[in-house]
Amino acid sequence: MSASFASRLGIEHPLIQAPMAGSTSPALVAAVSNAGALGSLGAGYLEPQAILDQAAEIRTLGDRPYAIGLFVLPDEFEADMAAVTQAREQLDALMIREGLDVRTAVPARWAPRFSDQFAALCEARPAVASFAFGVIGPAQMRELRQRDIYVIGTATTVAEARAWVEAGANAVSMQGAEAGGHRGSFLHEAEDAMIGLFALLPLTVRALAASGREVPVIAAGGIMDGRGMLAAEALGAAASQLGTAFLTCPECPAATAWKQDLPRVEEHRVTTIRGFSGRAARGLRNRFVEAMPAAAQGLPYPILNALTAPLRRAAAAAGRGDLLSEWCGQAAALVRPQPAAELVARLMHEYRLACRSLAH
């Protein structure tokens, strides 16, 4: 199935660079796509014009297929302002203690409007659109089909995969518990959807085949080399989606301190965190996580995400990785810092070697 999946998308390799919101750039996306895989622009935090501008820049860097990834969220959010005030006081106190000369503020809007982002995605017309945190509506699915945009839905359980298939997705990306960054769960609590990838893959493949609505299944979570890609394929995956593996590429805009910390990550310190954004996300347990203000822990996404944004930007500028949201998958210490195109070539070389070894 891998070859047919890749050919359908017009790419050479069954390899997708994950749409890591805030940690992708046009240079990274284009480098991956130009190397024969599928580059993905994580646009979840981008305003519509920024999506259009970055899509235009990707096109100037190459003409290969690429993806844009969005978060499916309501356009508006209601905030408990008393809770926001209490959280702000504690976050500001934390920043004072840590010597960061920045304070929280209430933004004009807690997050970009999804409907406006979706319109920009349609205008940009990438080859692929991927979505997390929920399922898009029938009218939105029709709009993507009219533009011949291939749709990938993110799921963390079999039920979520079924929901995406019933909505008309062309493929589902199954996010195992090992995956770095935000959990894509939408039908279940994140804690109930922490299923290991190598259990989740065969369960999903079997369930979709039994339903008669089989679609390609993409493996996401903890895959760092060609051996992992082959293992995922053996369990029914049509392609592998890697995010953490690309974080140390020079084209990735992740903070320098974050990149430096990844090779030293101890696996037992990679955990699920809510304190940076209000939504469960997998990353490194660092000083901020351990000093997380109690009031902030109860605020939902994206409200808490907006409040901690100044802290994260200041920490990055100060080289304070211990105060950053250092998202990473379970096997983060296996990163190989190198240009994205070289990493794609290396991954595919490892994959082919693993295939030949298995054949013998």
Side-chain angles (χ1 to χ4, degrees), residues 74-81 84 110 299-303:
D75 277 349
E76 304 295 339
F77 300 90
E78 293 292 332
D80 179 341
M81 295 310 296
V84 167
W110 294 112
L299 290 179
Y301 182 95
I303 293 165

Side-chain angles (χ1 to χ4, degrees), residues 6-78:
S7 62
R8 166 64 181 84
L9 295 183
I11 59 179
E12 298 170 26
H13 311 309
L15 169 61
I16 300 171
Q17 166 250 317
M20 308 170 289
S23 299
T24 57
S25 66
L28 175 62
V29 175
V32 172
S33 289
N34 291 342
L38 183 71
S40 300
L41 178 67
Y45 302 139
L46 298 181
E47 292 292 344
Q49 188 57 51
I51 294 174
L52 293 173
D53 292 344
Q54 294 198 24
E57 186 175 349
I58 292 169
R59 290 194 296 273
T60 67
L61 297 172
D63 60 357
R64 304 300 295 271
Y66 73 97
I68 293 178
L70 293 179
F71 299 145
V72 182
L73 295 169
D75 277 349
E76 304 295 339
F77 300 90
E78 293 292 332

Side-chain angles (χ1 to χ4, degrees), residues 86-105:
Q86 185 178 10
R88 288 184 61 197
E89 291 173 353
Q90 293 190 9
L91 286 167
D92 287 346
L94 173 62
M95 287 187 276
I96 291 171
R97 290 198 302 273
E98 296 297 333
L100 296 179
D101 189 21
V102 66
R103 301 295 177 263
T104 59

